[in-house]
Amino acid sequence: YQKKGLAIKKALLGENDPSIAVSHTHIGSIFYYQRNIDSAAYHLNRALEINIIALGESHPNTAKCYGNASLMFSLKKDYEKALEYNTKSLNILKKIFGDNNPQTAQQYANVGSTYLNMGKYEEAMEYINKAITIKKGILGEEHPDIAVYYNNIGEIYYRMWR
């Protein structure tokens, strides 16, 4: 049904409308959860391309697409490329919203998780702690996101000392 919707949108709006990017993101996410990496990568990269064309590099949707595309690289264990895309996403969000924003905080955590996957624990700790600081300032100590980030810190310590 997602593909049918995409075909209708393309016929009505053309190839590079932002709503086409949303459809590609949805389809890519389905393939991602099915672990069909090649199909997911195609759709998530197409969403990124459309957003860059339609909205530009400095748009929150483009930042989100960079973050989504980084997931494909992580699944392929291409952590350098995942880090590149996560960092692009972070830089866009910092430019738009500054540091004191929940989306920016989440992207700090995503960069930290990528460093964790790379075995770069000090960098992972730095970025996840930054996410904690930002989210605590916005949402308070008891927010569920803070618990997730604390679990990430625990994972860093576990991997450092095993």
Side-chain angles (χ1 to χ4, degrees), residues 44 67 89 134:
L44 294 175
S89 178
I134 295 168

Side-chain angles (χ1 to χ4, degrees), residues 7-46:
I8 292 168
K9 285 182 183 180
K10 282 182 178 179
L12 294 171
L13 303 170
E15 291 284 329
N16 294 319
D17 187 85
S19 68
I20 303 296
V22 171
S23 292
H24 277 292
T25 297
H26 290 161
I27 294 167
S29 296
I30 292 166
F31 283 125
Y32 171 81
Y33 288 111
Q34 293 175 340
R35 295 301 193 247
N36 183 336
I37 296 172
D38 291 336
S39 294
Y42 168 78
H43 287 284
L44 294 175
N45 283 323
R46 185 67 187 120

Side-chain angles (χ1 to χ4, degrees), residues 111-124:
V111 171
S113 292
T114 303
Y115 276 124
L116 176 61
N117 288 330
M118 297 170 81
K120 296 183 176 183
Y121 304 124
E122 288 181 23
E123 293 90 341

Side-chain angles (χ1 to χ4, degrees), residues 4-116:
K4 287 181 182 180
L6 176 60
I8 292 168
K9 285 182 183 180
K10 282 182 178 179
L12 294 171
L13 303 170
E15 291 284 329
N16 294 319
D17 187 85
S19 68
I20 303 296
V22 171
S23 292
H24 277 292
T25 297
H26 290 161
I27 294 167
S29 296
I30 292 166
F31 283 125
Y32 171 81
Y33 288 111
Q34 293 175 340
R35 295 301 193 247
N36 183 336
I37 296 172
D38 291 336
S39 294
Y42 168 78
H43 287 284
L44 294 175
N45 283 323
R46 185 67 187 120
L48 175 60
E49 291 168 1
I50 292 168
N51 276 314
I52 290 171
I53 292 166
L55 304 172
E57 278 280 339
S58 296
H59 192 278
N61 291 356
T62 304
K64 181 76 170 163
C65 285
Y66 273 118
N68 290 340
S70 77
L71 296 172
M72 294 300 94
F73 296 113
S74 289
L75 275 181
K76 294 178 179 182
K77 301 200 182 314
D78 184 352
Y79 298 122
E80 291 294 334
K81 198 72 168 172
L83 180 62
E84 176 188 335
Y85 275 53
N86 272 322
T87 301
K88 283 183 181 184
S89 178
L90 176 60
N91 289 335
I92 293 166
L93 294 172
K94 285 170 56 175
K95 182 177 177 183
I96 296 168
F97 300 121
D99 268 351
N100 197 27
N101 177 276
Q103 290 178 32
T104 306
Q106 181 58 53
Q107 199 55 40
Y108 271 109
N110 293 346
V111 171
S113 292
T114 303
Y115 276 124
L116 176 61

